[in-house]
Amino acid sequence: QVQLVESGGGLVQAGGSLRLSCAASGRTFSSYAMGWFRQAPGKEREFVAAITWRAGTTFYVDSVKGRFTISRDIAKNTVYLQMNSLKPEDTAVYYCAAASYSRSNGLGVREAYDYWGQGTQVTVSS
């Protein structure tokens, strides 16, 4: 079993920055990719960004391109989400997820992931 623990959420003003971290632990961690999703009140959980673990290939939803950066530290089994130029519409609970293997439907859907963290709240005030 793999455990994912997010940290780094909080309250920030519009235009500010936050960095989320997600530490993976458990049995020998081996992941195809890791991703970040978010869920705002009354909305579906949506894909934000993903990174393949070995190659470091990144993927982003259009609404965060140029503002968010996903990265990973293989030695620490940790993935990060650097969020800059935050907007009130970025307010949500952010979830980290891990995909054990590649699936045909790609990394932009919830079904691609096997493990999930508990989430961390990000609130952006206007």
Side-chain angles (χ1 to χ4, degrees):
Q1 191 71 306
V2 173
Q3 292 81 42
L4 302 175
V5 178
E6 302 101 332
S7 61
L11 173 64
V12 64
Q13 289 187 332
S17 298
L18 283 175
R19 189 177 82 153
L20 305 182
S21 300
C22 174
S25 64
R27 62 182 177 90
T28 304
F29 179 69
S30 176
S31 176
Y32 165 67
M34 294 188 71
W36 288 95
F37 284 70
R38 64 187 179 187
Q39 187 166 16
K43 295 188 176 181
E44 295 289 319
R45 191 173 299 188
E46 66 168 353
F47 170 76
V48 176
I51 186 166
T52 58
W53 199 246
R54 290 190 176 183
T57 304
T58 58
F59 306 88
Y60 299 93
V61 68
D62 285 347
S63 60
V64 308
K65 285 180 180 177
R67 301 189 298 122
F68 291 11
T69 302
I70 188 170
S71 61
R72 87 267 191 253
D73 185 327
I74 294 175
K76 294 183 178 180
N77 284 345
T78 299
V79 65
Y80 304 97
L81 186 67
Q82 177 66 44
M83 305 185 294
N84 299 328
S85 302
L86 282 161
K87 304 175 181 180
E89 51 263 43
D90 294 318
T91 295
V93 177
Y94 283 70
Y95 296 90
C96 172
S100 298
Y101 58 94
S102 176
R103 293 171 169 86
S104 60
N105 52 2
L107 291 171
V109 296
R110 295 176 61 176
E111 293 75 17
Y113 298 86
D114 305 288
Y115 303 99
W116 292 84
Q118 81 290 349
T120 185
Q121 178 70 47
V122 171
T123 303
V124 184
S125 64
S126 56

